[in-house]
Amino acid sequence: MLLRGGAFSACNAAADVSGKCRFPGVIRLPRPESLHVASVATGEPMSKPQEPSCHPSLADRLRLGSLNEDGLSYKEKFIVRCYEVGINKTATVETIANLLQEVGCNHAQYVGFSTDGFATTLSMRKYHLIWVTARMHIEIYKYPAWSDVVEIETWCQSEGRIGTRRDWILKDYSTGEVIGRATSKWVMMNQDTRRLQKVTDEVRDEYLVYCPKSLRTLVIEFLGCSNTPALYKANLEHTYDMDLYTFPEENNASLKKIAKLDDPADHSKVGLVPRRADLDMNQHVNNVTYIGWVLESMPQEIIDSHELQTITLDYRRECQQDDVVDSLTSSEPAIGDMVSGHRTNGTPVAAARDENDRLQFLHLLRLSNDGSEINRGRTEWRKKPAKR
């Protein structure tokens, strides 16, 4: 349940709360002249680059990432490796989720947060507090292929009194096209009692210095993509600037409640066991592993004809190395016309389909021994594009 590096956490003694960039000497790829991406004022003055407060490590010098000019978000570029692509010859959703995790952790490390695996603040360590994931929502409009360069921008914001959130925007670096977006919600837990706890003012003051004080907006020169929501669509022959939040639409998919999946489910994969490689540095099953478990119970005919566009996971309990997990999947109640599918036993079952031939499914991961919920999920699938 724990994501390495935490949601954002806050600074330790190595960070300069005055806003100094800890590692400014980062190697950068040259930007295409046609690409224009800039942060929009959030009502706060833009800070000028300052002298380094300490010597960057070799990893920091080689990493293709840095803070934005205002110091309130972080961008990093990644090259898609051959071992990160799947049967579609494009990056898998697990690859995307791992990159989101990586850029979030690098952001926390870049501004000087602790590297103990929890990215905690001084106050959090004092009171034995850690961040845990409550919800993760990812939308992918175009999957990058092997050797594509992806640029990811991320930032954190306060989420009421009980937690925080981290958002991401993913772009094709060569074109500037928005190819995905994601958001996550985090809550604070006492590491000893395993009970949730409100975020204290002491902790909030430590990490909010690196967070926008109002909802983050971006100006993005965007090449339209047919898979994006209507808000993002554009004529492919033109580019334009638009102001947007990561998820500006009212009642957007990231906010939808996920109903509990009824049993028996249409499809199931039982007896899943965490591998040693699935454990993170905190000895818990890593968040990305849950995505793979959810997909294990998807019917093969859907995997063959469709690709994942949206996934939402609500995390309800931690999963340990010795746990045995069942993955359940059923089509979500109709959102439009119905298309024929089949149950695992061969009997017909209807899969929900909208006017664009997108399918929606509900998912449940539970402990095999007592049925306790690990997480609930929802996925949306679109028809696969022509082969690249």
Side-chain angles (χ1 to χ4, degrees):
M1 182 176 180
L2 299 178
L3 177 61
R4 292 174 295 178
F8 185 83
S9 242
C11 56
N12 61 10
D16 187 338
V17 295
S18 67
K20 286 186 178 181
C21 177
R22 187 168 183 252
F23 307 126
V26 178
I27 298 174
R28 305 188 185 192
L29 290 174
R31 264 199 185 284
E33 294 182 358
S34 60
L35 175 60
H36 171 68
V37 181
S39 291
V40 174
T42 57
E44 308 151 26
M46 300 286 282
S47 60
K48 296 181 180 180
Q50 301 186 45
E51 293 299 318
S53 57
C54 58
H55 296 293
S57 67
L58 176 62
D60 295 314
R61 296 198 302 271
L62 295 177
R63 188 175 290 137
L64 301 176
S66 62
L67 289 176
N68 225 343
E69 289 185 358
D70 60 6
L72 302 177
S73 68
Y74 175 86
K75 290 182 183 179
E76 188 167 348
K77 291 165 281 291
F78 300 91
I79 301 172
V80 178
R81 269 68 175 184
C82 64
Y83 55 82
E84 295 175 322
V85 302
I87 59 176
N88 298 328
K89 299 182 180 180
T90 56
T92 64
V93 64
E94 290 96 333
T95 293
I96 300 297
N98 275 320
L99 292 180
L100 298 180
Q101 178 171 281
E102 178 70 8
V103 74
C105 291
N106 290 346
H107 183 198
Q109 188 179 53
Y110 198 98
V111 297
F113 297 169
S114 83
T115 57
D116 59 1
F118 296 104
T120 49
T121 73
L122 290 175
S123 296
M124 290 175 68
R125 292 195 294 280
K126 176 181 177 182
Y127 298 114
H128 297 184
L129 302 175
I130 56 176
W131 294 110
V132 295
T133 319
R135 168 171 279 215
M136 175 69 72
H137 177 85
I138 304 172
E139 296 184 3
I140 306 170
Y141 312 127
K142 180 183 177 182
Y143 282 87
W146 177 25
S147 296
D148 283 354
V149 180
V150 179
E151 182 178 65
I152 304 176
E153 181 169 9
T154 185
W155 60 92
C156 282
Q157 293 180 231
S158 178
E159 184 79 4
R161 299 295 302 177
I162 62 172
T164 186
R165 61 181 284 174
R166 176 178 286 279
D167 290 352
W168 297 265
I169 292 285
L170 297 88
K171 299 188 297 294
D172 182 326
Y173 183 72
S174 65
T175 65
E177 178 184 356
V178 175
I179 60 173
R181 55 180 178 165
T183 187
S184 58
K185 293 184 179 180
W186 302 75
V187 292
M188 188 166 286
M189 174 187 285
N190 185 289
Q191 191 173 359
D192 301 324
T193 66
R194 315 309 289 180
R195 292 184 179 181
L196 300 184
Q197 184 166 325
K198 288 185 178 181
V199 181
T200 65
D201 290 337
E202 187 176 3
V203 172
R204 285 166 58 88
D205 289 344
E206 286 179 314
Y207 77 83
L208 285 181
V209 66
Y210 293 108
C211 299
K213 294 180 175 59
S214 60
L215 282 177
R216 187 77 172 175
T217 60
L218 301 176
V219 171
I220 300 178
E221 185 172 318
F222 174 68
L223 292 173
C225 176
S226 59
N227 291 323
T228 59
L231 178 68
Y232 288 82
K233 287 183 178 178
N235 188 317
L236 289 176
E237 297 179 354
H238 299 85
T239 60
Y240 65 99
D241 287 348
M242 63 182 296
D243 293 336
L244 56 95
Y245 301 122
T246 309
F247 288 87
E249 314 96 305
E250 292 185 7
N251 301 318
N252 66 77
S254 72
L255 302 175
K256 289 183 180 179
K257 184 178 180 180
I258 302 176
K260 184 177 181 179
L261 187 61
D262 291 331
D263 200 8
D266 296 339
H267 311 275
S268 63
K269 184 77 170 183
V270 300
L272 299 170
V273 179
R275 304 170 305 161
R276 292 188 181 94
D278 295 327
L279 302 181
D280 61 20
M281 65 184 76
N282 306 310
Q283 301 299 309
H284 296 88
V285 173
N286 188 272
N287 285 4
V288 178
T289 299
Y290 297 120
I291 296 177
W293 285 346
V294 163
L295 300 183
E296 279 296 307
S297 57
M298 280 295 298
Q300 187 61 45
E301 60 265 28
I302 303 300
I303 299 294
D304 292 340
S305 60
H306 289 67
E307 66 180 7
L308 182 65
Q309 174 166 305
T310 302
I311 183 168
T312 309
L313 292 178
D314 282 342
Y315 296 87
R316 295 177 174 267
R317 62 170 297 144
E318 299 169 299
C319 189
Q320 310 289 341
Q321 182 177 5
D322 296 330
D323 290 334
V324 180
V325 177
D326 294 339
S327 174
L328 308 179
T329 292
S330 289
S331 59
E332 193 165 17
I335 54 176
D337 296 332
M338 306 298 288
V339 62
S340 179
H342 293 84
R343 296 183 188 274
T344 52
N345 62 7
T347 59
V349 61
R353 180 183 69 186
D354 69 5
E355 65 277 7
N356 295 317
D357 202 21
R358 287 193 296 264
L359 309 179
Q360 286 190 189
F361 293 87
L362 293 176
H363 307 274
L364 175 67
L365 295 180
R366 68 184 184 188
L367 294 180
S368 296
N369 58 352
D370 61 8
S372 297
E373 286 187 77
I374 299 173
N375 66 32
R376 298 181 186 183
R378 174 187 287 111
T379 58
E380 182 177 327
W381 301 72
R382 59 173 178 260
K383 274 286 188 181
K384 285 185 179 179
K387 292 184 177 179
R388 300 179 64 169

